[in-house]
Amino acid sequence: RSVEGLPERVGKGRSVEGQRLVVWHAFGVCHVPRVEDFPVMPCETTGFTLKPDGFFAGNPAIDLPPETNEKSEQSKCCG
């Protein structure tokens, strides 16, 4: 079984919908620790966040009707 990356799969017109995807996150830390760093900097931390991109065609909250607070004095001025 051949292993291909996401760009190759999509480039061949293959869909990822309904498929089980595996994502490997590879990273490198560019700080080379020195003796002078300890104890001020005892460790180097890193992390990542998965965020969808292009999940919605637009912001779904934009179509919501405006909320009016009836107890507010400003709701009586302009309505």
Side-chain angles (χ1 to χ4, degrees), residues 1 6 9-10 14-22 55:
R1 179 178 155 182
L6 187 60
R9 183 175 185 91
V10 174
R14 297 179 182 168
S15 175
V16 295
E17 187 174 338
Q19 299 294 315
R20 292 170 47 179
L21 302 177
V22 176
F55 189 73

Side-chain angles (χ1 to χ4, degrees), residues 58-65:
N59 185 343
I62 291 176
D63 290 340
L64 295 176

